[in-house]
Amino acid sequence: MSERPLLIVVLAAGKGTRMKSALPKVLHQVGGRSLLGHVLAAATAAGGSRVAVVVGPGMDNVGAEARAQVPDVETFVQVSQLGTGDAALAARAAIESHDGDALVVLGDSPFLTSETLIRTRHSLQGDAGIAVVGFEAADPTGYGRLLVDGNGSVTAVREEREASAEERKVRLCNSGVIGFRGERMLEILSAITDQNAKGEYYLTDAIEIGRAKGVRSVYVTGSAEETLGINDRAQLAAAERIFQDRARAKLMAEGVTMIAPETVFVSHDTRIGQDVVIEPFVVIGPGVTIGDNVQIRAFTHLTGTDAKSKKGVAIGARAEIGPYARLRPGASIGEDVHVGNFVEVKNASLENGAKANHLAYIGDGRVGEKANIGAGTIFCNYDGFNKHHTDVGAGAFVGSNTSLVAPVKIGDGAYVGSGSVITRDVAPDALAVERSKQEEKPGWAAKYRQLMARRKKSRN
Ligand code: UD1
Ligand code: MG
């Protein structure tokens, strides 16, 4: 097996005009991760010792996304989009300085697997200097066709526009992944011209050019799904469906019960323990970990990490979440915790056995073990400028409709009377009540009713 160093060049300079988006195509997401993120995950898992990404001018956000996942990624700018052959050459400096194998992959193919990349690389043996990944397309329209001779060598990849009627009948299509034995790569890429129907530099011309130079091309096959390239929003939605179906099947195989799996949406990194039950209509964003025996009730939204926060959501064993709960970035839920309907938790921990069963906002705080947060409790964490912390001690009891104005601390075992607006710390085991004294006027209501009834009668 070849163990030469591997360079992977990801082409991601295309704007993706059919997406009709201000966001570059490869930053659109499937399963809570960008298309580029999926491709880079496969590239690194395939053992790419160097990863290069080719971006378009001004696509700093694409470069940043690449660096977030592969810190030592090399980025190159393709000045104008003259075609995939030109895009690969934008990474010339990486190719020139690389001594080993190289794979060129397309940045818009989220299902590309490391396994296929590894097979492609391993097919670069003996006299095989180029390897193409092909797939059998049910409808090959629009794809480049692999022309294969009797020896299993690829003689050309013919783009749709240049293909003859006979060639168009070929169903073995080019996925877009092309591997090169490093030595001749630059020489071959440099010989690509734009003399074709589209006036573009086709990377796929490398096969015929290589052949003329005595370099044999071979192919390996991948699945049609794996090579799906996203060009518009309908294809993006189709990719999401495929992603979700696979992810749900995998989670169920690992011991998760989903009552209506088609209504549960998960992310690329969702981790769920055994004997977890997920009721219908649950959305799970990136960065969520769920322990064993947890119940996620219907219509719960586990937001997970967002663009601002790197924090995820963690849920401990035997917790019960929902229905209609919302856990946002930094929600850390201990074991046996209950988070009930219309409770929102953000950047806060609920320690083992704590309960917030109904209608509460718990933001930027800690709720100690077995503490009870009554209905309508609000952690007032924001003063319009800064966020402040609220700390509720173990075993504390916060009565319904309480506002805890942060920064504030409720001691272990303390009680807070319903309806209080708490602005000062409460000592352990104390009772804090902040509300005006109740007044009572005996017989008032009866007198009031009599008076009002008389007035109404005299008017009629
Ligand atoms: C390409 C292949 C075709 C294959 C198909 C599979 C060529 C000439 N054709 O066609 O054989 O069947 O993919 O999906 O390679 N890109 C750049 N710079 C450019 C042009 C493209 O970076 O100047 C990037 C795009 O961002 C995209 C990728 O290359 O991620 C593919 O480009 P696209 O225009 O979608 O190629 P296809 O016409 O789909
Ligand atoms: Mg494409």
Side-chain angles (χ1 to χ4, degrees), residues 104-337:
V104 180
V105 307
L106 307 183
D108 63 354
S109 312
F111 298 122
L112 192 62
T113 63
S114 56
E115 186 265 338
T116 295
L117 294 179
I118 291 167
R119 275 195 298 128
T120 309
R121 181 205 189 167
H122 286 161
S123 69
L124 292 167
Q125 295 292 326
D127 65 342
I130 299 179
V132 183
V133 177
F135 68 101
E136 286 286 338
D139 173 13
T141 313
Y143 289 107
R145 312 296 206 280
L146 263 57
L147 309 183
V148 181
D149 70 12
N151 302 321
S153 300
V154 184
T155 57
V157 173
R158 193 76 74 224
E159 290 305 308
E160 171 99 2
R161 286 178 193 237
E162 283 80 24
S164 65
E166 206 52 35
E167 288 167 343
R168 283 185 189 184
K169 287 185 191 149
V170 172
R171 296 207 0 228
L172 185 62
C173 291
N174 174 30
S175 71
V177 176
I178 302 189
F180 293 87
R181 293 279 290 266
E183 306 89 19
R184 313 277 306 267
M185 181 175 182
L186 213 48
E187 176 197 337
I188 292 169
L189 292 183
S190 305
I192 296 174
T193 71
D194 60 357
Q195 300 307 300
N196 52 51
K198 222 173 162 189
E200 261 191 18
Y201 292 82
Y202 290 163
L203 177 61
T204 43
D205 282 351
I207 284 82
E208 272 180 297
I209 292 167
R211 187 172 143 88
K213 292 177 182 290
V215 175
R216 190 165 94 92
S217 292
V218 294
Y219 73 97
V220 300
T221 48
S223 68
E225 269 178 10
E226 192 184 347
T227 54
L228 191 80
I230 310 300
N231 295 321
D232 58 34
R233 308 251 186 178
Q235 286 170 341
L236 186 69
E240 187 69 44
R241 267 196 300 279
I242 294 169
F243 172 87
Q244 293 297 340
D245 282 343
R246 287 183 182 182
R248 292 163 186 145
K250 183 165 177 283
L251 289 168
M252 288 190 281
E254 289 167 359
V256 176
T257 292
M258 293 189 192
I259 294 165
E262 67 281 9
T263 67
V264 173
F265 294 83
V266 301
S267 289
H268 67 98
D269 58 354
T270 302
R271 292 211 309 268
I272 306 184
Q274 249 184 29
D275 293 310
V276 167
V277 176
I278 303 185
E279 290 185 356
F281 301 102
V282 169
V283 176
I284 302 178
V288 174
T289 304
I290 300 174
D292 291 341
N293 297 98
V294 167
Q295 309 269 324
I296 308 284
R297 303 214 177 280
F299 299 102
T300 286
H301 196 158
L302 309 178
T303 317
T305 45
D306 59 11
K308 270 202 305 206
S309 165
K310 295 278 164 272
K311 294 177 178 173
V313 167
I315 301 173
R318 297 174 304 281
E320 274 187 52
I321 312 295
Y324 299 98
R326 180 172 183 212
L327 302 187
R328 293 174 50 206
S332 170
I333 308 298
E335 296 178 357
D336 302 291
V337 165

